Amino acid sequence: MRTTVTPDQAKAGMVLASPVISDSGKVVLEEGVILTDSFIDRLVLLGIKTIHIQISETVPVKEQFTAFYEDTLGKIKDGFANISYFKEVPVMQMRELVDNAVNPMVDIPGAILYLNAIQQSDDCTFKHSLGVAVITGVFAKWAGYQGQRLKDAILAGLLHDIGKLYVPARILGKPDRLTDIEMAIVKKHPVEGYRILAQAPTVTQEVLLGVLQHHERMDGTGYPFGHKAEKVHPLARLIAISDMYEAMTSKRVFRDRLIPFRVIEEINQNMFGKLDPELCLVFLNKIRESLIGTTVLLSDGRKAMIISAGSLAGKGPVIMTEDDEALDLDKMTSITILECIG
């Protein structure tokens, strides 16, 4: 079944029941395309009068997330290019992205797992920034953020690394260990991000501190100022965890991506020193819970499903293999998880 609507009536996530044809006879969008805000804007701009929408089929959630992600990534790339060129942040454009694009992704159940699944390489600042924005939004909701405070948290996650736009690409993309001088340049990026954002009068102090302090650590070993716990803003503490998780589960020029369980172990080891322990507990418990039901590939070649997250202090979950063998990977060393596959 299908229904007919005008482009103005269409919503992101709807699926085209037939191709959209322009007045000149050119195919604008193919049948089966999932509409995004950019596609809808394009249809309006082209003067398309009506489109046919599927109403009998439900779009798989992962496909909805992927469509939003790819569409939003292009907008962020354009926005960050403007920041580099004009030396100012288009705050209103970034807030619109949060409201119309990132927020819908945050609201999709399993968003962090879908994010892990579609990111193959993440060396670009804008890709990393979108990933951190999504994770920060989900995490902030877990931590009780609501309304404008939640939107500000997502905005801070989106803009946390804009200072890296002023770090030479040869340094950011260097596959080898950075020199002390190069590392000193990289460590300036929170201050640069704060400086450029502070010029926009509509950016809240919470967002500014989230950007400035996301590399500070509870024990004072972070940067740029080496502030300890009492001086580190709660949002910066939250973004620090989101940033770590996104970075470690994404591929880099100097290492491959890590599976979520390995990152969980790393965060667990840092939660009573460098990171906020209360926030870590919230994040780790929710992430572990979300992994139940995930299909994984084992080191012995078998596939398995996670049936229990196991203990927080453990290094592995409880799984059920494809040949119905239950294994507690916390108590085994001969079998490990290679990757999550679904």
Side-chain angles (χ1 to χ4, degrees):
M1 294 179 62
R2 69 183 189 178
T3 188
T4 302
V5 300
T6 65
D8 286 336
Q9 295 170 325
K11 303 293 184 184
M14 288 181 171
V15 180
L16 289 175
S18 63
V20 178
I21 310 296
S22 69
D23 291 340
S24 63
K26 181 180 179 181
V27 176
V28 178
L29 293 174
E30 298 283 357
E31 178 182 345
V33 167
I34 301 172
L35 291 178
T36 63
D37 288 327
S38 286
F39 286 154
I40 294 171
D41 290 343
R42 181 182 176 192
L43 296 177
V44 172
L45 185 64
L46 290 174
I48 302 297
K49 299 296 189 295
T50 59
I51 56 177
H52 301 300
I53 300 296
Q54 294 179 10
I55 60 173
S56 60
E57 296 184 16
T58 302
V59 182
V61 175
K62 185 176 180 180
E63 290 186 19
Q64 290 185 38
F65 183 90
T66 302
F68 273 117
Y69 176 87
E70 292 177 349
D71 186 50
T72 307
L73 197 60
K75 293 178 180 178
I76 291 175
K77 183 177 181 180
D78 292 340
F80 277 33
N82 288 335
I83 295 172
S84 295
Y85 185 79
F86 294 108
K87 308 302 181 185
E88 64 180 13
V89 180
V91 177
M92 291 303 297
Q93 179 186 352
M94 294 295 117
R95 287 194 183 278
E96 288 177 3
L97 276 177
V98 168
D99 289 343
N100 300 325
V102 184
N103 245 330
M105 284 190 281
V106 168
D107 287 338
I108 293 176
I112 294 179
L113 297 183
Y114 294 140
L115 185 69
N116 293 156
I118 64 177
Q119 289 189 350
Q120 297 302 314
S121 180
D122 192 23
D123 294 327
C124 296
T125 295
F126 59 86
K127 290 184 180 181
H128 173 65
S129 297
L130 176 55
V132 172
V134 172
I135 296 171
T136 295
V138 175
F139 186 9
K141 289 177 67 175
W142 290 341
Y145 286 53
Q146 297 178 350
Q148 189 58 50
R149 189 171 178 232
L150 175 61
K151 292 181 180 181
D152 280 346
I154 297 173
L155 181 66
L158 182 62
L159 299 176
H160 78 289
D161 262 355
I162 59 166
K164 283 188 176 178
L165 296 176
Y166 301 97
V167 177
R170 62 176 178 79
I171 295 179
L172 290 178
K174 185 178 179 179
D176 304 317
R177 184 181 180 88
L178 298 182
T179 65
D180 290 344
I181 293 176
E182 290 169 335
M183 182 57 71
I185 293 173
V186 171
K187 286 185 175 182
K188 292 179 180 178
H189 80 268
V191 174
E192 289 296 323
Y194 177 91
R195 180 186 60 77
I196 189 172
L197 272 176
Q199 298 172 23
T202 59
V203 177
T204 66
Q205 188 70 6
E206 186 170 40
V207 172
L208 288 174
L209 290 176
V211 171
L212 179 65
Q213 297 183 330
H214 71 276
H215 278 295
E216 299 288 2
R217 295 296 179 257
M218 303 291 280
D219 60 3
T221 60
Y223 63 87
F225 304 117
H227 286 164
K228 291 189 176 182
E230 64 275 6
K231 291 187 176 181
V232 181
H233 193 278
L235 180 54
R237 302 180 192 186
L238 190 149
I239 294 174
I241 299 169
S242 301
D243 185 34
M244 177 182 290
Y245 185 88
E246 199 287 331
M248 295 182 73
T249 55
S250 298
K251 188 174 182 179
R252 290 290 190 267
V253 292
F254 49 85
R255 62 153 175 80
D256 205 352
R257 63 194 300 181
L258 302 179
I259 61 172
F261 310 99
R262 177 67 187 87
V263 182
I264 288 171
E265 183 181 348
E266 183 72 20
I267 293 175
N268 196 16
Q269 291 173 355
N270 285 279
M271 67 184 291
F272 291 109
K274 297 182 182 300
L275 303 174
D276 184 311
E278 292 185 11
L279 285 175
C280 282
L281 283 174
V282 172
F283 186 79
L284 293 177
N285 283 327
K286 289 291 188 178
I287 281 289
R288 291 165 63 252
E289 180 183 300
S290 70
L291 288 167
I292 296 174
T294 301
T295 302
V296 297
L297 178 64
L298 304 178
S299 56
D300 64 3
R302 289 184 292 176
K303 295 179 181 178
M305 178 180 288
I306 298 171
I307 59 175
S308 172
S311 67
L312 183 59
K315 295 186 177 182
V318 179
I319 61 173
M320 180 67 71
T321 67
E322 57 190 340
D323 48 3
D324 296 325
E325 182 182 7
L327 301 173
D328 185 348
L329 297 187
D330 188 34
K331 300 177 180 178
M332 302 185 66
T333 57
S334 58
I335 297 177
T336 58
I337 294 174
L338 294 182
E339 61 177 314
C340 298
I341 56 177

